[in-house]
Amino acid sequence: MAEPMAHRLAGRYEVRSLIGRGGMAEVHLGFDTRLSRVVAIKMLRRDLAQDSIFQARFRREAQSAASLNHPNIVAVYDTGEEIIEDATGRSIAVPYIVMEYVEGHTVKDLISDGTAVPINEAIEIVSGVLSALQYSHANHLVHRDIKPGNIMLTSDGKVKVMDFGIARALTDSQATMTQTNAVVGTAQARGETVDARSDLYSTGVVLFELLTGRPPFKGDSAVAVAYQHVEQIPPTPSSILSDIPDSLDRVVLKALAKNREDRYPSAAAMLADLQRVARGLDVGA
């Protein structure tokens, strides 16, 4: 059995309680003893850390993410590696990321009971996501994993997108589809190159779920859901909740277009249409 994680990383980061666990990493509450501030420390799963190609990509993407400085993006403060021993006594370098600790809850938590959020709130949340994407895309970084679990809502109402860059590294290596209702964009399912418009597709899925309380496609397996993302036209949000205006239907369906050329050309364009909806104006979609 592997040795337990060290109590302190790089001589300065105290590793405290486990606050989150996902398919690829564990997140701990941490404390930066040098700057006397609470942080979040994300450490990759040890089985992923044994992949040298993944390690190199993770390192490169973590550095890219650390360069992003935007109010709607969870800040990355530092990156490093913790050397541990596996069951055979072999040393393994486990990469970690030290991030801004955000008090609040995720969009996944917000919609976990299947209840739609008010239209204005949905627009506000997705506008924050699009602002983050507009900035990251301008800096040549595609998120690749926009989903409710990666969008934080702080206790004072701010929107913070998490996991920039990590998703790209995973997509390139050992990512697997594990959730029944996982958001699988048409680009990934078709084997196309993932680009900024893939992020806009995923953002459209999030907007759909906020407006209706359910994802656009459901299935018994991740593969079944992926097939629907590729082959089936999504329902309009207003067919599920009748108070959703036609202009918002059009924004969602443009974001969810099967052909990437039919989607919004940029996060800024989608954001502009959403802001027009909020003001009761016609949209370009």
Side-chain angles (χ1 to χ4, degrees):
M1 188 171 176
E3 293 294 320
M5 185 192 306
H7 180 68
R8 188 177 288 200
L9 303 175
R12 67 182 284 190
Y13 302 113
E14 291 182 357
V15 179
R16 297 182 176 177
S17 58
L18 182 69
I19 55 175
R21 181 185 283 115
M24 59 182 176
E26 290 185 341
V27 182
H28 289 258
L29 189 66
F31 186 74
D32 183 347
T33 58
R34 190 175 299 171
L35 297 179
S36 296
R37 67 180 173 188
V38 176
V39 295
I41 301 172
K42 172 168 283 193
M43 299 193 74
L44 266 291
R45 276 187 358 218
R46 295 179 182 189
D47 58 326
L48 291 178
Q50 295 178 56
D51 182 338
S52 59
I53 295 174
F54 178 82
Q55 280 193 4
R57 288 173 177 167
F58 176 85
R59 209 174 293 122
R60 185 171 65 246
E61 298 301 338
Q63 289 169 352
S64 298
S67 69
L68 298 178
N69 181 18
H70 189 275
N72 294 119
I73 296 175
V74 173
V76 172
Y77 297 141
D78 196 6
T79 62
E81 294 177 350
E82 174 71 0
I83 306 300
I84 63 167
E85 286 188 3
D86 65 10
T88 66
R90 184 180 58 167
S91 293
I92 301 173
V94 179
Y96 64 84
I97 295 178
V98 182
M99 305 177 296
E100 169 188 9
Y101 173 65
V102 179
E103 285 194 80
H105 57 274
T106 65
V107 168
K108 182 179 179 180
D109 296 330
L110 179 68
I111 58 179
S112 61
D113 62 355
T115 302
V117 305
I119 290 173
N120 287 343
E121 185 179 350
I123 290 175
E124 187 176 346
I125 291 169
V126 173
S127 293
V129 173
L130 289 169
S131 293
L133 291 176
Q134 183 179 351
Y135 175 82
S136 74
H137 292 166
N139 284 275
H140 312 293
L141 189 62
V142 179
H143 190 285
R144 299 190 181 210
D145 198 24
I146 294 293
K147 61 185 180 183
N150 278 340
I151 304 166
M152 289 287 298
L153 305 175
T154 70
S155 48
D156 57 353
K158 293 186 178 68
V159 177
K160 295 268 190 178
V161 180
M162 301 186 291
D163 281 1
F164 272 91
I166 301 171
R168 172 187 285 187
L170 262 181
T171 302
D172 288 345
S173 184
Q174 301 177 17
T176 55
M177 296 181 295
T178 54
Q179 296 178 345
T180 301
N181 291 321
V183 173
V184 183
T186 56
Q188 291 94 324
R190 285 182 173 143
E192 298 170 0
T193 302
V194 178
D195 66 4
R197 288 164 295 184
S198 309
D199 280 349
L200 301 184
Y201 183 94
S202 299
T203 304
V205 174
V206 172
L207 178 57
F208 187 103
E209 196 161 354
L210 283 165
L211 292 170
T212 65
R214 48 151 286 187
F217 301 113
K218 294 184 176 182
D220 295 331
S221 68
V223 173
V225 175
Y227 176 82
Q228 292 176 71
H229 276 286
V230 173
E231 298 293 339
Q232 294 189 12
I233 302 299
T236 59
S238 65
S239 69
I240 297 167
L241 289 179
S242 58
D243 64 333
I244 296 171
D246 173 69
S247 58
L248 207 43
D249 275 346
R250 285 188 278 147
V251 171
V252 172
L253 293 185
K254 186 171 181 67
L256 295 183
K258 301 301 180 194
N259 186 338
R260 70 173 70 194
E261 302 299 330
D262 295 331
R263 295 176 205 154
Y264 284 101
S266 66
M270 184 173 174
L271 179 58
D273 257 4
L274 263 189
Q275 291 173 339
R276 291 179 69 82
V277 172
R279 297 198 299 270
L281 304 174
D282 285 337
V283 297

